[in-house]
Amino acid sequence: MDSQNTVVPIRIGSGHDRHRLVPGRPLILGGVTIPYEQGLDGHSDADVLLHAITDALLGALALGDIGEWFPNTDPQWAQAASDQFVLAAAKAVRERGWSIGNLDCTVHAERPKLSSFKAEIAARIAALLQIPRDQVSVKAKTGERVGPIGRGEAIDADVVVLLYREPSPT
Ligand code: MG
């Protein structure tokens, strides 16, 4: 039996990602380029927030993870804009009859300070997913100067997403 067609018509997904901060790369978070002296290292554009969103969308429907869908050994994803990962995951969600309810996102970065970028990032994500702006939350935290986040060595992102569908007629 396909449980996605039964029981309560909601699903929850979580996503987490981490990328190292290195010199000589742009810093892109949620599709927004943030002025900073370092950027995130990775095979694609290393947008840690869009990667976590992709994993949350895939996870909500038990569709695997971003590494299975877009292997970082595949040259076609080298320097790729991570928008396409989110769009592919959102398409997979919608093709299975699900709608995106809301996302709650947390970015963990000691520097740069992200408070002035949160609204723009949330608006960018809402536009990408074609959902209302008030269904996307973007929060920012520091690492309290301890650990890899606190020392400014990496940026993490955590995302929770809720999916819903109209109940099947009985
Ligand atoms: Mg990643």
Side-chain angles (χ1 to χ4, degrees), residues 23-73:
R25 295 263 301 181
L27 177 59
I28 304 169
L29 292 173
V32 175
T33 301
I34 312 283
Y36 190 51
E37 66 214 36
Q38 295 182 299
L40 296 173
D41 194 24
H43 185 63
S44 65
D45 67 4
D47 188 326
V48 67
L49 179 50
L50 293 190
H51 292 183
I53 290 171
T54 303
D55 259 346
L57 290 167
L58 295 175
L61 294 183
L63 296 176
D65 62 34
I66 190 171
E68 295 169 34
W69 281 58
F70 310 103
N72 65 7
T73 50

Side-chain angles (χ1 to χ4, degrees), residues 1-168:
M1 175 182 285
D2 181 359
S3 67
Q4 292 182 16
N5 292 321
T6 61
V7 206
V8 179
I10 57 172
R11 302 279 294 208
I12 191 167
S14 74
H16 169 84
D17 198 20
R18 166 176 294 177
H19 282 264
R20 289 187 306 119
L21 277 163
V22 295
R25 295 263 301 181
L27 177 59
I28 304 169
L29 292 173
V32 175
T33 301
I34 312 283
Y36 190 51
E37 66 214 36
Q38 295 182 299
L40 296 173
D41 194 24
H43 185 63
S44 65
D45 67 4
D47 188 326
V48 67
L49 179 50
L50 293 190
H51 292 183
I53 290 171
T54 303
D55 259 346
L57 290 167
L58 295 175
L61 294 183
L63 296 176
D65 62 34
I66 190 171
E68 295 169 34
W69 281 58
F70 310 103
N72 65 7
T73 50
D74 188 335
Q76 77 169 299
W77 309 124
Q79 310 303 318
S82 295
D83 292 33
Q84 60 192 293
F85 305 151
V86 173
L87 291 173
K91 181 165 179 271
V93 162
R94 293 191 170 111
E95 282 175 350
R96 287 163 177 76
W98 293 84
S99 299
I100 298 168
N102 70 300
L103 293 91
D104 190 10
C105 310
T106 306
V107 179
H108 304 261
E110 193 71 22
R111 295 182 305 275
K113 293 298 172 198
L114 297 173
S115 52
S116 60
F117 296 98
K118 290 184 293 187
E120 183 182 354
I121 293 170
R124 177 78 177 74
I125 292 166
L128 193 60
L129 294 172
Q130 297 179 278
I131 58 176
R133 165 67 185 83
D134 67 357
Q135 289 171 220
V136 179
S137 158
V138 174
K139 312 195 298 292
K141 299 190 75 65
T142 71
E144 292 289 333
R145 287 179 281 155
V146 295
I149 302 300
R151 291 190 297 268
E153 297 168 2
I155 292 179
D156 279 13
D158 293 307
V159 174
V160 176
V161 63
L162 191 78
L163 307 183
Y164 69 94
R165 71 190 299 164
E166 300 305 321
S168 309

